[in-house]
Amino acid sequence: ALAERLRAEGEDPVAVSVGPDGDVVLGGNAKRAVVDGVSLVGKGMMDVFVARWSSAGELKWAGIFGDPEDQW
């Protein structure tokens, strides 16, 4: 389950999508997050995070984007 693979401070998952290849993309807001062991640290208030898993459940990439202000 994705909830077991994402830990975040002040996180707010907003959207999830499954592509035609079965990849899962999750996006939301967080100050910092850990996605499958990858630590993401925002630049200020609530930043935008995005993560993508393969159809086999392997993390392809994860990132957090923003500036010192809220991004949501």
Side-chain angles (χ1 to χ4, degrees):
L2 288 179
E4 297 169 354
R5 303 180 111 175
L6 170 69
R7 289 197 242 306
E9 177 184 327
E11 59 87 16
D12 186 16
V14 176
V16 64
S17 178
V18 178
D21 58 359
D23 283 5
V24 176
V25 178
L26 175 71
N29 305 97
K31 292 181 180 183
R32 61 181 55 92
V34 177
V35 180
D36 274 356
V38 176
S39 181
L40 307 174
V41 179
K43 293 180 176 63
M45 305 288 285
M46 294 294 280
D47 290 332
V48 175
F49 73 87
V50 181
R52 182 176 187 153
W53 290 267
S54 71
S55 60
E58 296 175 5
L59 181 66
K60 286 187 163 184
W61 52 263
I64 193 164
F65 311 93
D67 59 30
E69 302 298 320
D70 279 333
Q71 303 308 303
W72 55 290

Coordinates of all heavy atoms in Angstrom, one line a residue:
A1 N 0.8 -1.2 0.0 CA 0.0 0.0 0.0 C 0.9 1.3 0.0 O 1.9 1.3 0.6 CB -0.9 0.0 1.2
L2 N 0.4 2.3 -0.7 CA 1.2 3.5 -0.8 C 1.4 4.2 0.6 O 2.4 4.8 0.8 CB 0.6 4.5 -1.7 CG 0.7 4.1 -3.2 CD1 -0.1 5.2 -4.0 CD2 2.1 4.0 -3.7
A3 N 0.4 4.1 1.4 CA 0.5 4.7 2.8 C 1.7 4.2 3.5 O 2.3 4.9 4.3 CB -0.8 4.5 3.5
E4 N 2.1 2.9 3.3 CA 3.2 2.3 4.0 C 4.5 2.8 3.4 O 5.6 2.7 4.1 CB 3.1 0.8 4.0 CG 1.9 0.3 4.7 CD 1.7 -1.2 4.4 OE1 2.4 -1.8 3.5 OE2 0.8 -1.8 5.0
R5 N 4.5 3.4 2.2 CA 5.7 3.7 1.5 C 6.0 5.2 1.6 O 7.0 5.7 1.1 CB 5.6 3.3 0.1 CG 5.4 1.8 0.0 CD 5.3 1.4 -1.4 NE 6.4 0.6 -1.6 CZ 6.7 -0.1 -2.7 NH1 5.8 0.0 -3.7 NH2 7.7 -0.8 -2.9
L6 N 5.1 6.0 2.2 CA 5.2 7.4 2.3 C 5.0 7.9 3.8 O 4.0 7.6 4.4 CB 4.1 8.1 1.5 CG 3.9 9.6 1.6 CD1 5.2 10.3 1.1 CD2 2.7 10.1 1.0
R7 N 6.0 8.6 4.3 CA 6.0 9.2 5.6 C 6.3 10.7 5.4 O 7.4 11.0 4.8 CB 6.9 8.6 6.6 CG 6.6 7.2 7.0 CD 7.3 6.8 8.2 NE 8.2 5.7 8.2 CZ 8.0 4.5 7.8 NH1 6.8 4.2 7.3 NH2 8.9 3.5 7.8
A8 N 5.5 11.6 5.9 CA 5.8 13.0 5.7 C 5.3 13.8 6.8 O 4.4 13.4 7.5 CB 5.1 13.4 4.4
E9 N 6.0 15.0 7.0 CA 5.6 15.9 8.0 C 4.6 16.9 7.4 O 4.9 17.6 6.4 CB 6.8 16.7 8.5 CG 6.4 17.8 9.5 CD 7.6 18.6 10.0 OE1 8.7 18.0 10.0 OE2 7.4 19.8 10.2
G10 N 3.4 17.0 7.9 CA 2.4 17.9 7.3 C 2.0 17.5 5.9 O 1.6 18.3 5.2
E11 N 2.1 16.2 5.6 CA 1.8 15.8 4.2 C 0.3 15.8 4.0 O -0.5 15.6 4.8 CB 2.4 14.4 3.9 CG 2.0 13.3 4.8 CD 0.7 12.6 4.4 OE1 0.2 12.7 3.2 OE2 0.1 11.9 5.2
D12 N 0.0 16.0 2.7 CA -1.4 16.1 2.3 C -1.5 15.5 0.9 O -1.3 16.2 -0.1 CB -1.9 17.5 2.3 CG -3.4 17.6 2.0 OD1 -4.1 16.6 2.1 OD2 -3.8 18.7 1.7
P13 N -1.6 14.1 0.8 CA -1.7 13.6 -0.6 C -2.9 14.1 -1.3 O -4.0 14.2 -0.7 CB -1.9 12.1 -0.3 CG -1.4 11.8 1.0 CD -1.6 13.1 1.8
V14 N -2.8 14.6 -2.5 CA -3.8 15.3 -3.2 C -4.4 14.5 -4.4 O -5.5 14.4 -4.6 CB -3.3 16.7 -3.7 CG1 -4.4 17.4 -4.5 CG2 -3.0 17.5 -2.5
A15 N -3.5 13.8 -5.1 CA -3.9 13.1 -6.3 C -3.1 11.9 -6.5 O -1.9 11.8 -6.2 CB -3.8 14.0 -7.5
V16 N -3.7 10.8 -7.1 CA -3.0 9.6 -7.5 C -3.6 9.2 -8.9 O -4.7 9.5 -9.2 CB -3.3 8.5 -6.5 CG1 -4.7 8.1 -6.4 CG2 -2.4 7.3 -6.8
S17 N -2.7 8.7 -9.7 CA -3.0 8.4 -11.0 C -2.3 7.1 -11.4 O -1.2 6.9 -11.0 CB -2.6 9.5 -12.0 OG -3.0 9.1 -13.3
V18 N -3.0 6.2 -12.2 CA -2.4 5.0 -12.7 C -2.3 5.1 -14.2 O -3.3 5.4 -14.9 CB -3.2 3.8 -12.3 CG1 -2.6 2.5 -12.9 CG2 -3.3 3.7 -10.8
G19 N -1.1 5.0 -14.8 CA -0.9 5.1 -16.2 C -1.3 3.9 -16.9 O -1.5 2.8 -16.3
P20 N -1.3 3.9 -18.3 CA -1.7 2.8 -19.1 C -0.7 1.6 -18.9 O -1.0 0.5 -19.1 CB -1.7 3.3 -20.5 CG -1.0 4.6 -20.5 CD -1.1 5.1 -19.1
D21 N 0.6 1.9 -18.5 CA 1.6 0.9 -18.2 C 1.5 0.4 -16.8 O 2.3 -0.5 -16.4 CB 3.0 1.5 -18.5 CG 3.3 2.7 -17.7 OD1 2.5 3.2 -16.9 OD2 4.4 3.2 -17.8
G22 N 0.6 0.9 -16.0 CA 0.4 0.4 -14.6 C 1.2 1.2 -13.6 O 1.1 1.0 -12.4
D23 N 2.1 2.2 -14.1 CA 2.8 3.0 -13.1 C 1.8 3.8 -12.3 O 0.8 4.3 -12.8 CB 3.8 4.0 -13.9 CG 5.0 3.3 -14.4 OD1 5.1 2.0 -14.3 OD2 5.9 4.0 -14.9
V24 N 2.2 4.1 -11.1 CA 1.4 4.8 -10.1 C 2.1 6.1 -9.8 O 3.3 6.1 -9.5 CB 1.1 4.1 -8.8 CG1 0.3 4.9 -7.8 CG2 0.3 2.8 -9.1
V25 N 1.5 7.3 -10.0 CA 2.0 8.6 -9.6 C 1.2 9.2 -8.5 O -0.1 9.2 -8.6 CB 2.0 9.5 -10.9 CG1 2.6 10.9 -10.5 CG2 2.9 8.9 -12.0
L26 N 1.9 9.6 -7.5 CA 1.2 10.3 -6.3 C 1.7 11.7 -6.2 O 3.0 11.9 -6.2 CB 1.5 9.5 -5.0 CG 0.9 10.0 -3.7 CD1 -0.6 10.0 -3.7 CD2 1.5 9.3 -2.5
G27 N 0.9 12.6 -6.0 CA 1.3 14.0 -5.7 C 0.6 14.6 -4.6 O -0.5 14.2 -4.2
G28 N 1.2 15.6 -3.9 CA 0.6 16.2 -2.8 C 1.5 17.4 -2.3 O 2.4 17.9 -3.0
N29 N 1.2 17.7 -1.0 CA 2.0 18.8 -0.4 C 2.6 18.3 0.9 O 2.1 17.4 1.6 CB 1.0 19.9 0.1 CG 0.2 20.5 -1.1 OD1 -0.9 20.1 -1.3 ND2 0.8 21.4 -1.8
A30 N 3.8 18.7 1.2 CA 4.5 18.3 2.4 C 5.7 19.3 2.7 O 6.2 20.0 1.8 CB 5.1 16.9 2.3
K31 N 6.1 19.4 4.0 CA 7.3 20.1 4.4 C 8.5 19.3 4.1 O 9.5 19.7 3.7 CB 7.2 20.5 5.8 CG 6.1 21.6 6.1 CD 6.2 21.9 7.6 CE 5.1 23.0 7.8 NZ 5.1 23.4 9.2
R32 N 8.4 18.0 4.4 CA 9.4 17.0 4.2 C 8.7 15.6 4.1 O 7.7 15.4 4.7 CB 10.5 17.0 5.3 CG 10.0 16.8 6.7 CD 11.2 16.9 7.7 NE 11.9 18.1 7.6 CZ 11.6 19.2 8.4 NH1 10.6 19.1 9.2 NH2 12.3 20.3 8.3
A33 N 9.4 14.7 3.4 CA 8.8 13.4 3.3 C 9.9 12.3 3.1 O 11.0 12.7 2.7 CB 7.8 13.4 2.1
V34 N 9.5 11.1 3.4 CA 10.4 10.0 3.1 C 9.6 9.0 2.2 O 8.5 8.6 2.6 CB 10.9 9.2 4.4 CG1 11.7 8.0 4.0 CG2 11.7 10.2 5.2
V35 N 10.0 8.8 1.0 CA 9.3 7.9 0.1 C 10.2 6.7 -0.2 O 11.3 6.9 -0.8 CB 9.0 8.7 -1.2 CG1 8.3 7.8 -2.2 CG2 8.2 10.0 -1.0
D36 N 9.8 5.6 0.2 CA 10.6 4.3 0.0 C 12.0 4.5 0.4 O 13.0 4.1 -0.3 CB 10.5 3.9 -1.4 CG 9.3 3.0 -1.7 OD1 8.6 2.7 -0.7 OD2 9.1 2.6 -2.8
G37 N 12.3 5.2 1.5 CA 13.6 5.4 2.0 C 14.3 6.6 1.5 O 15.4 7.0 1.9
V38 N 13.7 7.3 0.5 CA 14.3 8.5 -0.1 C 13.8 9.7 0.7 O 12.6 10.0 0.7 CB 14.0 8.6 -1.6 CG1 14.5 9.9 -2.2 CG2 14.5 7.4 -2.4
S39 N 14.8 10.5 1.3 CA 14.4 11.7 2.0 C 14.2 12.9 1.1 O 15.1 13.2 0.3 CB 15.5 11.9 3.1 OG 15.1 13.1 3.8
L40 N 13.1 13.5 1.2 CA 12.8 14.7 0.5 C 12.6 15.9 1.5 O 11.8 15.8 2.4 CB 11.5 14.6 -0.4 CG 11.4 13.3 -1.3 CD1 10.0 13.2 -1.9 CD2 12.5 13.4 -2.3
V41 N 13.3 17.0 1.3 CA 13.2 18.1 2.2 C 12.8 19.3 1.4 O 13.5 19.7 0.4 CB 14.6 18.4 2.9 CG1 14.4 19.6 3.8 CG2 15.0 17.2 3.7
G42 N 11.7 19.9 1.8 CA 11.2 21.1 1.1 C 12.0 22.3 1.4 O 13.0 22.3 2.2
K43 N 11.7 23.4 0.7 CA 12.4 24.7 0.8 C 11.8 25.7 1.7 O 12.3 26.8 1.9 CB 12.7 25.2 -0.6 CG 13.6 24.4 -1.4 CD 13.7 24.9 -2.8 CE 14.7 24.1 -3.6 NZ 14.3 22.8 -3.9
G44 N 10.7 25.4 2.3 CA 10.0 26.3 3.2 C 8.7 25.8 3.8 O 8.8 24.8 4.5
M45 N 7.6 26.4 3.5 CA 6.4 26.0 4.0 C 5.9 24.7 3.4 O 6.7 23.8 3.4 CB 5.3 27.1 3.8 CG 5.7 28.5 4.3 SD 5.7 28.7 6.0 CE 4.0 28.8 6.3
M46 N 4.7 24.6 2.8 CA 4.3 23.4 2.2 C 4.7 23.4 0.7 O 4.3 24.3 0.0 CB 2.7 23.3 2.3 CG 2.2 23.2 3.7 SD 2.7 21.6 4.4 CE 1.5 20.5 3.7
D47 N 5.5 22.4 0.3 CA 5.9 22.3 -1.0 C 5.2 21.2 -1.7 O 4.5 20.4 -1.1 CB 7.5 22.1 -1.1 CG 8.2 23.3 -0.7 OD1 7.7 24.4 -0.9 OD2 9.3 23.2 -0.1
V48 N 5.4 21.0 -3.0 CA 4.7 20.0 -3.8 C 5.6 18.8 -3.9 O 6.8 19.0 -4.3 CB 4.3 20.5 -5.2 CG1 3.8 19.4 -6.1 CG2 3.4 21.7 -5.1
F49 N 5.1 17.6 -3.6 CA 5.9 16.4 -3.8 C 5.2 15.5 -4.9 O 4.0 15.5 -5.0 CB 6.2 15.6 -2.6 CG 5.0 14.9 -2.0 CD1 4.7 13.6 -2.5 CD2 4.2 15.5 -1.0 CE1 3.6 12.9 -2.0 CE2 3.1 14.8 -0.5 CZ 2.8 13.5 -1.0
V50 N 6.1 14.8 -5.6 CA 5.6 13.9 -6.6 C 6.4 12.6 -6.6 O 7.7 12.7 -6.4 CB 5.6 14.5 -8.1 CG1 5.1 13.5 -9.1 CG2 4.9 15.8 -8.1
A51 N 5.8 11.5 -6.6 CA 6.5 10.2 -6.7 C 5.9 9.3 -7.7 O 4.7 9.3 -7.9 CB 6.5 9.6 -5.3
R52 N 6.8 8.4 -8.3 CA 6.3 7.5 -9.3 C 6.8 6.1 -9.0 O 8.0 5.9 -8.8 CB 6.7 7.9 -10.7 CG 6.2 7.1 -11.8 CD 6.5 7.6 -13.1 NE 5.9 6.8 -14.2 CZ 5.6 7.3 -15.4 NH1 5.9 8.6 -15.7 NH2 5.0 6.6 -16.3
W53 N 5.9 5.1 -9.0 CA 6.3 3.7 -8.9 C 6.0 2.9 -10.1 O 5.0 3.2 -10.8 CB 5.5 3.1 -7.7 CG 5.9 3.6 -6.4 CD1 6.8 3.0 -5.5 CD2 5.4 4.7 -5.6 NE1 6.9 3.7 -4.3 CE2 6.0 4.8 -4.4 CE3 4.4 5.7 -6.0 CZ2 5.7 5.8 -3.5 CZ3 4.1 6.6 -5.0 CH2 4.8 6.7 -3.8
S54 N 6.7 1.9 -10.4 CA 6.5 1.1 -11.6 C 5.3 0.2 -11.2 O 4.9 0.1 -10.0 CB 7.7 0.2 -11.9 OG 7.8 -0.8 -10.9
S55 N 4.8 -0.5 -12.2 CA 3.6 -1.4 -12.0 C 4.1 -2.6 -11.0 O 3.2 -3.2 -10.4 CB 3.1 -2.0 -13.3 OG 4.1 -2.7 -14.0
A56 N 5.4 -2.8 -10.9 CA 5.9 -3.8 -10.0 C 6.1 -3.3 -8.6 O 6.5 -4.0 -7.7 CB 7.2 -4.4 -10.6
G57 N 5.8 -2.0 -8.4 CA 6.0 -1.4 -7.1 C 7.3 -0.8 -6.7 O 7.6 -0.5 -5.6
E58 N 8.2 -0.8 -7.7 CA 9.5 -0.2 -7.5 C 9.5 1.3 -7.7 O 8.9 1.8 -8.7 CB 10.6 -0.8 -8.5 CG 10.8 -2.3 -8.2 CD 11.7 -2.9 -9.3 OE1 12.2 -2.1 -10.1 OE2 11.8 -4.1 -9.3
L59 N 10.1 2.1 -6.8 CA 10.1 3.5 -6.9 C 11.0 3.9 -8.1 O 12.1 3.5 -8.2 CB 10.7 4.2 -5.6 CG 10.8 5.7 -5.6 CD1 9.4 6.3 -5.6 CD2 11.6 6.2 -4.4
K60 N 10.4 4.7 -9.0 CA 11.2 5.1 -10.2 C 11.8 6.5 -9.9 O 13.0 6.7 -10.2 CB 10.3 5.3 -11.4 CG 9.8 4.0 -12.0 CD 9.1 4.3 -13.3 CE 9.0 3.0 -14.2 NZ 8.4 3.3 -15.5
W61 N 11.1 7.4 -9.3 CA 11.7 8.7 -8.9 C 10.7 9.4 -7.9 O 9.6 9.0 -7.8 CB 11.9 9.6 -10.1 CG 10.8 9.8 -11.0 CD1 10.6 9.1 -12.2 CD2 9.7 10.7 -10.9 NE1 9.4 9.6 -12.8 CE2 8.9 10.6 -12.0 CE3 9.3 11.6 -9.9 CZ2 7.7 11.3 -12.2 CZ3 8.2 12.4 -10.1 CH2 7.4 12.2 -11.2
A62 N 11.3 10.3 -7.1 CA 10.5 11.1 -6.2 C 11.2 12.5 -6.1 O 12.4 12.6 -6.1 CB 10.4 10.4 -4.8
G63 N 10.4 13.5 -5.9 CA 10.9 14.8 -5.8 C 10.0 15.8 -5.0 O 8.8 15.5 -4.9
I64 N 10.6 16.8 -4.5 CA 9.8 17.9 -3.8 C 10.2 19.2 -4.4 O 11.4 19.4 -4.7 CB 10.0 17.8 -2.3 CG1 9.0 18.6 -1.6 CG2 11.4 18.1 -1.9 CD1 8.8 18.3 -0.1
F65 N 9.3 20.1 -4.7 CA 9.5 21.3 -5.4 C 8.8 22.5 -4.7 O 7.7 22.3 -4.3 CB 9.0 21.1 -6.8 CG 9.4 19.9 -7.5 CD1 8.6 18.7 -7.4 CD2 10.6 19.8 -8.1 CE1 9.0 17.5 -8.0 CE2 11.0 18.6 -8.7 CZ 10.2 17.5 -8.7
G66 N 9.5 23.6 -4.7 CA 8.9 24.8 -4.1 C 9.9 25.9 -3.8 O 11.1 25.8 -4.2
D67 N 9.5 26.8 -3.0 CA 10.3 27.9 -2.5 C 9.9 28.2 -1.1 O 9.2 27.4 -0.5 CB 10.1 29.1 -3.5 CG 8.7 29.6 -3.5 OD1 7.9 29.5 -2.6 OD2 8.3 30.2 -4.6
P68 N 10.4 29.3 -0.5 CA 10.0 29.6 0.9 C 8.6 29.8 1.2 O 8.1 29.7 2.4 CB 10.8 30.8 1.2 CG 12.0 30.8 0.3 CD 11.4 30.2 -1.0
E69 N 7.7 30.0 0.2 CA 6.3 30.2 0.4 C 5.5 28.9 0.3 O 6.0 27.9 -0.3 CB 5.8 31.3 -0.5 CG 6.5 32.6 -0.4 CD 6.3 33.3 0.9 OE1 5.2 33.2 1.5 OE2 7.2 33.9 1.4
D70 N 4.2 28.9 0.7 CA 3.3 27.8 0.4 C 3.2 27.6 -1.1 O 3.0 28.5 -1.8 CB 2.0 28.0 1.1 CG 2.0 27.7 2.5 OD1 2.8 26.8 3.0 OD2 1.1 28.2 3.3
Q71 N 3.1 26.3 -1.5 CA 2.9 26.0 -2.9 C 1.5 25.5 -3.2 O 1.2 25.2 -4.4 CB 3.9 25.0 -3.4 CG 5.4 25.3 -3.2 CD 5.7 26.7 -3.7 OE1 5.6 27.0 -4.9 NE2 6.2 27.6 -2.8
W72 N 0.7 25.4 -2.3 CA -0.7 24.9 -2.5 C -1.6 26.0 -2.4 O -2.7 26.2 -2.7 CB -1.0 23.8 -1.6 CG -0.8 24.0 -0.2 CD1 0.4 24.2 0.5 CD2 -1.8 24.2 0.8 NE1 0.1 24.4 1.8 CE2 -1.2 24.4 2.0 CE3 -3.2 24.1 0.8 CZ2 -1.9 24.6 3.2 CZ3 -3.9 24.3 1.9 CH2 -3.2 24.6 3.1

